[in-house]
mmCIF file of all heavy atoms in Angstrom:
data_model
loop_
_atom_site.group_PDB
_atom_site.id
_atom_site.type_symbol
_atom_site.label_atom_id
_atom_site.label_comp_id
_atom_site.label_asym_id
_atom_site.label_seq_id
_atom_site.Cartn_x
_atom_site.Cartn_y
_atom_site.Cartn_z
ATOM 1 N N LEU A 211 98.457 83.799 103.136
ATOM 2 C CA LEU A 211 99.651 84.160 103.825
ATOM 3 C C LEU A 211 100.824 84.320 102.948
ATOM 4 O O LEU A 211 101.694 85.268 103.086
ATOM 5 C CB LEU A 211 99.969 83.132 104.973
ATOM 6 C CG LEU A 211 101.116 83.329 105.908
ATOM 7 C CD1 LEU A 211 100.970 84.605 106.575
ATOM 8 C CD2 LEU A 211 101.292 82.223 106.772
ATOM 9 N N GLU A 212 100.995 83.372 101.986
ATOM 10 C CA GLU A 212 102.137 83.416 101.031
ATOM 11 C C GLU A 212 102.152 84.731 100.309
ATOM 12 O O GLU A 212 103.180 85.364 100.060
ATOM 13 C CB GLU A 212 102.004 82.249 100.087
ATOM 14 C CG GLU A 212 103.122 82.101 99.073
ATOM 15 C CD GLU A 212 102.873 81.003 98.068
ATOM 16 O OE1 GLU A 212 102.125 80.053 98.386
ATOM 17 O OE2 GLU A 212 103.397 81.070 96.941
ATOM 18 N N LEU A 213 100.952 85.174 99.733
ATOM 19 C CA LEU A 213 100.881 86.337 98.959
ATOM 20 C C LEU A 213 101.013 87.584 99.833
ATOM 21 O O LEU A 213 101.724 88.607 99.517
ATOM 22 C CB LEU A 213 99.580 86.381 98.222
ATOM 23 C CG LEU A 213 99.359 85.430 97.056
ATOM 24 C CD1 LEU A 213 97.962 85.390 96.562
ATOM 25 C CD2 LEU A 213 100.328 85.771 95.839
ATOM 26 N N TYR A 214 100.514 87.498 101.016
ATOM 27 C CA TYR A 214 100.714 88.655 101.925
ATOM 28 C C TYR A 214 102.135 88.864 102.270
ATOM 29 O O TYR A 214 102.672 90.047 102.131
ATOM 30 C CB TYR A 214 99.943 88.425 103.267
ATOM 31 C CG TYR A 214 100.320 89.502 104.300
ATOM 32 C CD1 TYR A 214 99.653 90.664 104.219
ATOM 33 C CD2 TYR A 214 101.166 89.218 105.357
ATOM 34 C CE1 TYR A 214 99.981 91.714 105.200
ATOM 35 C CE2 TYR A 214 101.442 90.194 106.282
ATOM 36 C CZ TYR A 214 100.842 91.415 106.201
ATOM 37 O OH TYR A 214 101.264 92.419 107.092
ATOM 38 N N ASN A 215 102.926 87.807 102.563
ATOM 39 C CA ASN A 215 104.352 87.919 102.828
ATOM 40 C C ASN A 215 105.125 88.374 101.556
ATOM 41 O O ASN A 215 106.005 89.153 101.678
ATOM 42 C CB ASN A 215 104.949 86.453 103.264
ATOM 43 C CG ASN A 215 104.417 86.156 104.676
ATOM 44 O OD1 ASN A 215 104.239 87.029 105.489
ATOM 45 N ND2 ASN A 215 104.369 84.879 104.969
ATOM 46 N N LYS A 216 104.738 87.935 100.394
ATOM 47 C CA LYS A 216 105.345 88.342 99.164
ATOM 48 C C LYS A 216 105.307 89.843 98.937
ATOM 49 O O LYS A 216 106.156 90.506 98.594
ATOM 50 C CB LYS A 216 104.826 87.589 97.924
ATOM 51 C CG LYS A 216 105.279 87.893 96.652
ATOM 52 C CD LYS A 216 104.617 87.133 95.652
ATOM 53 C CE LYS A 216 105.250 87.346 94.235
ATOM 54 N NZ LYS A 216 104.627 86.379 93.220
ATOM 55 N N PHE A 217 104.034 90.454 99.085
ATOM 56 C CA PHE A 217 103.835 91.713 98.847
ATOM 57 C C PHE A 217 104.199 92.647 100.037
ATOM 58 O O PHE A 217 104.641 93.939 99.836
ATOM 59 C CB PHE A 217 102.359 92.076 98.428
ATOM 60 C CG PHE A 217 102.041 91.573 97.069
ATOM 61 C CD1 PHE A 217 101.526 90.286 96.810
ATOM 62 C CD2 PHE A 217 102.445 92.338 95.913
ATOM 63 C CE1 PHE A 217 101.226 89.911 95.581
ATOM 64 C CE2 PHE A 217 102.261 91.872 94.595
ATOM 65 C CZ PHE A 217 101.651 90.659 94.468
ATOM 66 N N SER A 218 104.029 92.255 101.247
ATOM 67 C CA SER A 218 104.261 93.100 102.382
ATOM 68 C C SER A 218 105.833 93.231 102.678
ATOM 69 O O SER A 218 106.183 94.201 103.430
ATOM 70 C CB SER A 218 103.593 92.540 103.711
ATOM 71 O OG SER A 218 104.188 91.316 104.005
ATOM 72 N N CYS A 219 106.712 92.593 101.989
ATOM 73 C CA CYS A 219 108.133 92.743 102.188
ATOM 74 C C CYS A 219 108.545 94.017 101.385
ATOM 75 O O CYS A 219 109.569 94.507 101.588
ATOM 76 C CB CYS A 219 108.919 91.438 101.796
ATOM 77 S SG CYS A 219 108.918 91.115 99.984
ATOM 78 N N HIS A 220 107.788 94.477 100.475
ATOM 79 C CA HIS A 220 108.003 95.674 99.675
ATOM 80 C C HIS A 220 107.377 96.929 100.215
ATOM 81 O O HIS A 220 107.690 97.987 99.921
ATOM 82 C CB HIS A 220 107.765 95.475 98.236
ATOM 83 C CG HIS A 220 108.480 94.291 97.647
ATOM 84 N ND1 HIS A 220 109.814 94.310 97.377
ATOM 85 C CD2 HIS A 220 108.064 93.009 97.192
ATOM 86 C CE1 HIS A 220 110.273 93.134 96.896
ATOM 87 N NE2 HIS A 220 109.160 92.402 96.785
ATOM 88 N N GLU A 221 106.203 96.724 100.877
ATOM 89 C CA GLU A 221 105.333 97.839 101.333
ATOM 90 C C GLU A 221 104.507 97.392 102.462
ATOM 91 O O GLU A 221 104.224 96.155 102.567
ATOM 92 C CB GLU A 221 104.495 98.466 100.174
ATOM 93 C CG GLU A 221 103.555 97.468 99.578
ATOM 94 C CD GLU A 221 102.769 98.021 98.447
ATOM 95 O OE1 GLU A 221 101.906 98.898 98.611
ATOM 96 O OE2 GLU A 221 103.002 97.593 97.318
ATOM 97 N N LYS A 222 103.982 98.352 103.272
ATOM 98 C CA LYS A 222 103.019 98.020 104.293
ATOM 99 C C LYS A 222 101.711 97.686 103.748
ATOM 100 O O LYS A 222 101.111 98.425 102.978
ATOM 101 C CB LYS A 222 102.924 99.277 105.265
ATOM 102 C CG LYS A 222 102.065 98.884 106.466
ATOM 103 C CD LYS A 222 102.020 100.066 107.359
ATOM 104 C CE LYS A 222 101.226 99.905 108.651
ATOM 105 N NZ LYS A 222 100.181 99.017 108.628
ATOM 106 N N ILE A 223 101.290 96.445 104.027
ATOM 107 C CA ILE A 223 99.953 95.977 103.550
ATOM 108 C C ILE A 223 99.128 95.738 104.821
ATOM 109 O O ILE A 223 99.380 95.134 105.752
ATOM 110 C CB ILE A 223 100.109 94.646 102.858
ATOM 111 C CG1 ILE A 223 101.135 94.732 101.643
ATOM 112 C CG2 ILE A 223 98.789 94.037 102.381
ATOM 113 C CD1 ILE A 223 100.623 95.520 100.446
ATOM 114 N N GLU A 224 97.878 96.416 104.721
ATOM 115 C CA GLU A 224 96.962 96.207 105.866
ATOM 116 C C GLU A 224 95.899 95.100 105.543
ATOM 117 O O GLU A 224 95.401 95.067 104.438
ATOM 118 C CB GLU A 224 96.269 97.595 105.939
ATOM 119 C CG GLU A 224 95.264 97.678 107.147
ATOM 120 C CD GLU A 224 94.742 99.131 107.303
ATOM 121 O OE1 GLU A 224 94.348 99.708 106.301
ATOM 122 O OE2 GLU A 224 94.552 99.556 108.448
ATOM 123 N N ILE A 225 95.753 94.308 106.516
ATOM 124 C CA ILE A 225 94.684 93.276 106.400
ATOM 125 C C ILE A 225 93.458 93.671 106.987
ATOM 126 O O ILE A 225 93.431 94.269 108.131
ATOM 127 C CB ILE A 225 95.167 91.953 107.025
ATOM 128 C CG1 ILE A 225 96.440 91.412 106.294
ATOM 129 C CG2 ILE A 225 94.042 90.889 107.081
ATOM 130 C CD1 ILE A 225 97.087 90.187 106.891
ATOM 131 N N ILE A 226 92.343 93.534 106.225
ATOM 132 C CA ILE A 226 90.947 93.969 106.692
ATOM 133 C C ILE A 226 90.117 92.856 106.858
ATOM 134 O O ILE A 226 89.953 91.926 105.941
ATOM 135 C CB ILE A 226 90.387 94.867 105.606
ATOM 136 C CG1 ILE A 226 91.349 96.072 105.190
ATOM 137 C CG2 ILE A 226 89.024 95.488 106.111
ATOM 138 C CD1 ILE A 226 91.586 97.035 106.266
ATOM 139 N N HIS A 227 89.412 92.711 107.888
ATOM 140 C CA HIS A 227 88.410 91.675 108.308
ATOM 141 C C HIS A 227 87.054 92.262 107.921
ATOM 142 O O HIS A 227 86.607 93.223 108.464
ATOM 143 C CB HIS A 227 88.395 91.368 109.780
ATOM 144 C CG HIS A 227 87.808 90.109 110.170
ATOM 145 N ND1 HIS A 227 86.425 89.840 109.868
ATOM 146 C CD2 HIS A 227 88.275 89.028 110.790
ATOM 147 C CE1 HIS A 227 86.213 88.681 110.359
ATOM 148 N NE2 HIS A 227 87.255 88.113 110.889
ATOM 149 N N HIS A 228 86.363 91.624 106.978
ATOM 150 C CA HIS A 228 85.093 92.116 106.393
ATOM 151 C C HIS A 228 83.963 91.294 106.882
ATOM 152 O O HIS A 228 82.920 91.267 106.093
ATOM 153 C CB HIS A 228 85.157 92.178 104.810
ATOM 154 C CG HIS A 228 86.125 93.085 104.192
ATOM 155 N ND1 HIS A 228 85.972 94.440 104.130
ATOM 156 C CD2 HIS A 228 87.283 92.820 103.674
ATOM 157 C CE1 HIS A 228 86.924 94.962 103.505
ATOM 158 N NE2 HIS A 228 87.842 93.981 103.177
ATOM 159 N N HIS A 229 83.988 90.691 107.966
ATOM 160 C CA HIS A 229 82.896 89.852 108.621
ATOM 161 C C HIS A 229 82.812 88.543 107.885
ATOM 162 O O HIS A 229 82.820 87.522 108.555
ATOM 163 C CB HIS A 229 81.535 90.585 108.577
ATOM 164 C CG HIS A 229 81.510 91.943 109.289
ATOM 165 N ND1 HIS A 229 81.573 91.987 110.704
ATOM 166 C CD2 HIS A 229 81.577 93.160 108.778
ATOM 167 C CE1 HIS A 229 81.598 93.245 110.975
ATOM 168 N NE2 HIS A 229 81.656 94.001 109.990
ATOM 169 N N LEU A 230 82.632 88.515 106.551
ATOM 170 C CA LEU A 230 82.394 87.289 105.852
ATOM 171 C C LEU A 230 83.744 86.661 105.250
ATOM 172 O O LEU A 230 83.778 85.591 104.791
ATOM 173 C CB LEU A 230 81.347 87.444 104.681
ATOM 174 C CG LEU A 230 79.992 87.803 105.160
ATOM 175 C CD1 LEU A 230 79.056 88.006 103.886
ATOM 176 C CD2 LEU A 230 79.411 86.733 106.060
ATOM 177 N N PHE A 231 84.676 87.594 105.134
ATOM 178 C CA PHE A 231 85.999 87.210 104.606
ATOM 179 C C PHE A 231 87.052 88.189 105.083
ATOM 180 O O PHE A 231 86.746 89.182 105.660
ATOM 181 C CB PHE A 231 86.048 87.138 103.023
ATOM 182 C CG PHE A 231 85.553 88.449 102.478
ATOM 183 C CD1 PHE A 231 86.511 89.467 102.033
ATOM 184 C CD2 PHE A 231 84.177 88.764 102.239
ATOM 185 C CE1 PHE A 231 86.091 90.626 101.487
ATOM 186 C CE2 PHE A 231 83.825 89.920 101.669
ATOM 187 C CZ PHE A 231 84.776 90.788 101.281
ATOM 188 N N VAL A 232 88.319 87.786 104.849
ATOM 189 C CA VAL A 232 89.502 88.679 105.271
ATOM 190 C C VAL A 232 90.227 88.962 103.971
ATOM 191 O O VAL A 232 90.395 88.047 103.021
ATOM 192 C CB VAL A 232 90.394 87.848 106.326
ATOM 193 C CG1 VAL A 232 91.584 88.763 106.655
ATOM 194 C CG2 VAL A 232 89.553 87.514 107.544
ATOM 195 N N SER A 233 90.655 90.258 103.878
ATOM 196 C CA SER A 233 91.317 90.541 102.542
ATOM 197 C C SER A 233 92.463 91.648 102.793
ATOM 198 O O SER A 233 92.620 92.237 103.909
ATOM 199 C CB SER A 233 90.413 91.125 101.587
ATOM 200 O OG SER A 233 89.750 92.372 102.119
ATOM 201 N N PHE A 234 93.343 91.781 101.746
ATOM 202 C CA PHE A 234 94.199 92.887 101.613
ATOM 203 C C PHE A 234 94.280 93.278 100.219
ATOM 204 O O PHE A 234 93.765 92.623 99.306
ATOM 205 C CB PHE A 234 95.717 92.536 102.167
ATOM 206 C CG PHE A 234 96.399 91.451 101.386
ATOM 207 C CD1 PHE A 234 97.179 91.825 100.340
ATOM 208 C CD2 PHE A 234 96.314 90.092 101.699
ATOM 209 C CE1 PHE A 234 97.875 90.859 99.559
ATOM 210 C CE2 PHE A 234 97.040 89.160 100.964
ATOM 211 C CZ PHE A 234 97.743 89.585 99.921
ATOM 212 N N TYR A 235 94.791 94.484 99.960
ATOM 213 C CA TYR A 235 94.709 95.132 98.649
ATOM 214 C C TYR A 235 96.136 95.469 98.162
ATOM 215 O O TYR A 235 97.020 95.863 98.987
ATOM 216 C CB TYR A 235 93.901 96.462 98.677
ATOM 217 C CG TYR A 235 92.490 96.086 99.173
ATOM 218 C CD1 TYR A 235 92.132 96.167 100.495
ATOM 219 C CD2 TYR A 235 91.499 95.901 98.276
ATOM 220 C CE1 TYR A 235 90.889 95.841 100.986
ATOM 221 C CE2 TYR A 235 90.147 95.607 98.644
ATOM 222 C CZ TYR A 235 89.873 95.590 100.047
ATOM 223 O OH TYR A 235 88.616 95.222 100.469
ATOM 224 N N ILE A 236 96.271 95.284 96.847
ATOM 225 C CA ILE A 236 97.612 95.500 96.253
ATOM 226 C C ILE A 236 97.336 96.262 94.948
ATOM 227 O O ILE A 236 96.231 96.403 94.510
ATOM 228 C CB ILE A 236 98.425 94.284 95.942
ATOM 229 C CG1 ILE A 236 97.615 93.279 95.027
ATOM 230 C CG2 ILE A 236 98.872 93.572 97.218
ATOM 231 C CD1 ILE A 236 98.408 92.034 94.629
ATOM 232 N N LEU A 237 98.403 96.791 94.364
ATOM 233 C CA LEU A 237 98.349 97.490 93.038
ATOM 234 C C LEU A 237 99.033 96.676 92.011
ATOM 235 O O LEU A 237 100.134 96.121 92.278
ATOM 236 C CB LEU A 237 98.956 98.912 93.037
ATOM 237 C CG LEU A 237 98.198 99.857 94.105
ATOM 238 C CD1 LEU A 237 99.077 101.197 93.976
ATOM 239 C CD2 LEU A 237 96.851 100.146 93.811
ATOM 240 N N ASP A 238 98.346 96.568 90.819
ATOM 241 C CA ASP A 238 99.005 95.893 89.716
ATOM 242 C C ASP A 238 100.018 96.775 89.010
ATOM 243 O O ASP A 238 100.180 98.013 89.429
ATOM 244 C CB ASP A 238 98.028 95.229 88.705
ATOM 245 C CG ASP A 238 97.245 96.370 87.868
ATOM 246 O OD1 ASP A 238 97.585 97.533 87.886
ATOM 247 O OD2 ASP A 238 96.301 95.958 87.152
ATOM 248 N N PHE A 239 100.682 96.429 87.941
ATOM 249 C CA PHE A 239 101.707 97.183 87.270
ATOM 250 C C PHE A 239 101.222 98.541 86.847
ATOM 251 O O PHE A 239 101.984 99.456 86.757
ATOM 252 C CB PHE A 239 102.208 96.293 86.177
ATOM 253 C CG PHE A 239 103.311 96.944 85.303
ATOM 254 C CD1 PHE A 239 104.541 97.087 85.791
ATOM 255 C CD2 PHE A 239 102.939 97.630 84.138
ATOM 256 C CE1 PHE A 239 105.590 97.720 85.057
ATOM 257 C CE2 PHE A 239 104.017 98.179 83.451
ATOM 258 C CZ PHE A 239 105.273 98.253 83.831
ATOM 259 N N GLU A 240 99.960 98.569 86.504
ATOM 260 C CA GLU A 240 99.361 99.881 85.971
ATOM 261 C C GLU A 240 98.777 100.744 87.062
ATOM 262 O O GLU A 240 98.292 101.772 86.810
ATOM 263 C CB GLU A 240 98.273 99.591 84.910
ATOM 264 C CG GLU A 240 98.759 98.890 83.645
ATOM 265 C CD GLU A 240 99.527 99.908 82.774
ATOM 266 O OE1 GLU A 240 99.238 101.116 82.781
ATOM 267 O OE2 GLU A 240 100.455 99.481 82.055
#
């Protein structure tokens, strides 16, 4: 939740439920 809030304040981040875990994706500096 902390990381989601940190990154989603700058761009729309979609959370995906993958059955065994829940995730979201971000881009690094490169």
